[in-house]
Amino acid sequence: MKWYHEWQRAARNRYLAGYYPRHERTPNFIVQGLYWIGYFFGDFVPLILNLIDAIYSTIKRLLAFIAGLLIEASTFIVLIGTIVFSIFHSIELLRQAGATGGLEYVGVLMFEVVFISSTATLTGMLMTKKKPHKNFGFVFSIAGFTMGILFVWWSNISGMDSSWAGKIIGFCTPVLLIISEGILAYRYLEDTREEEITPANREADREEEITPANREADREEETTPADREADREEETTPADREADREEEITPANRE
């Protein structure tokens, strides 16, 4: 019957370890078998939950990627469309002004490139929240943007019909270009920040914020005099107090 005693001892140890909750004594072997079956199938629950969470996270990231791709693709299409739309109107305006024989293409290249590059520079400056310095780069960007947008407005408004609808569409064309550039710049900066903020960087930032001096100060604040006194009372058991009294009362003291 050695195996029976070992089985009883193991069951008793599991009972003391809380393997059988709400039982006032060690359950019989039938109940123990049912507990074993329940724990056996219960081990699969975390696995299933982790699997569902992994599938959900993967689908969520995939949908976010598809949504971001659609946003960037549509914004890029709007950007290209406004540039092409504006270029044709600018070529038509330059031809009306006398630039022919290929000069209209050179002229539109000058105006459009200055407008697009200055718009991109100012958009990036606003997105990164950089303070404009009073230097020639910022002045030239403002000048190029002003000259370019005036020319683009003129070419697009004059290239459309003289009705209110034509004027509104011509006026909105360069505005769409500015908006699309701003959206692309914003998404690019957001992706750059997410790549820079890695788990290792977050952990390093936490370690820098929590210095040894801060930890010591936190311990001092958390441990009040009342807590220290309570700790001393807990550490000193009745047996320790009795031993201290026995040591204090020596034979010489009794005499």
Side-chain angles (χ1 to χ4, degrees):
M1 300 295 289
K2 183 179 179 181
W3 65 271
Y4 178 76
H5 293 294
E6 291 179 354
W7 174 76
Q8 286 282 16
R9 188 182 304 109
R12 179 68 177 174
N13 292 334
R14 288 194 296 270
Y15 168 71
L16 295 175
Y19 197 78
Y20 309 113
R22 298 182 181 179
H23 284 269
E24 297 180 357
R25 59 182 178 83
T26 306
N28 56 55
F29 69 94
I30 297 177
V31 176
Q32 293 180 29
L34 294 175
Y35 267 107
W36 183 87
I37 295 172
Y39 280 115
F40 175 78
F41 287 104
D43 290 338
F44 291 95
V45 175
L47 173 65
I48 296 172
L49 292 177
N50 291 332
L51 181 62
I52 293 173
D53 184 65
I55 294 173
Y56 172 75
S57 299
T58 303
I59 294 174
K60 186 178 179 180
R61 287 196 297 268
L62 180 61
L63 292 177
F65 172 76
I66 293 174
L69 186 62
L70 290 176
I71 292 172
E72 292 180 0
S74 59
T75 306
F76 188 74
I77 290 172
V78 172
L79 178 64
I80 296 299
T82 52
I83 291 175
V84 174
F85 194 81
S86 179
I87 285 176
F88 277 101
H89 285 160
S90 299
I91 292 174
E92 184 179 351
L93 177 63
L94 289 171
R95 284 174 179 171
Q96 293 176 0
T100 57
L103 291 177
E104 65 271 24
Y105 300 105
V106 178
V108 76
L109 184 65
M110 291 187 302
F111 284 103
E112 294 290 341
V113 168
V114 168
F115 172 59
I116 294 172
S117 60
S118 60
T119 302
T121 302
L122 295 176
T123 302
M125 188 179 297
L126 291 175
M127 289 296 174
T128 54
K129 297 180 180 180
K130 290 183 179 179
K131 294 182 179 180
H133 298 286
K134 294 181 180 179
N135 51 23
F136 289 105
F138 178 71
V139 174
F140 288 152
S141 297
I142 292 292
F145 174 78
T146 305
M147 184 179 297
I149 197 169
L150 289 176
F151 175 80
V152 171
W153 266 333
W154 182 20
S155 64
N156 282 279
I157 293 175
S158 63
M160 298 297 294
D161 191 71
S162 59
S163 62
W164 280 105
K167 293 179 181 179
I168 292 173
I169 293 173
F171 179 83
C172 292
T173 300
V175 177
L176 288 174
L177 174 64
I178 297 172
I179 293 173
S180 58
E181 282 190 2
I183 293 173
L184 291 176
Y186 172 77
R187 292 193 60 81
Y188 172 75
L189 292 175
E190 285 296 316
D191 294 339
T192 305
R193 290 194 193 98
E194 290 179 359
E195 291 177 358
E196 291 176 352
I197 303 174
T198 59
N201 293 336
R202 294 192 192 98
E203 189 65 26
D205 293 338
R206 293 193 196 98
E207 292 294 331
E208 290 178 359
E209 292 174 358
I210 304 173
T211 60
N214 292 337
R215 295 193 190 97
E216 188 65 27
D218 293 339
R219 291 195 199 97
E220 292 295 331
E221 291 177 359
E222 291 173 358
T223 308
T224 61
D227 294 334
R228 297 190 192 98
E229 187 65 27
D231 292 338
R232 292 194 197 97
E233 293 293 333
E234 291 177 358
E235 292 173 356
T236 307
T237 62
D240 295 334
R241 297 190 192 96
E242 188 65 27
D244 293 338
R245 292 194 197 95
E246 292 292 334
E247 292 177 359
E248 291 174 356
I249 305 173
T250 60
N253 292 336
R254 295 193 191 95
E255 189 64 30

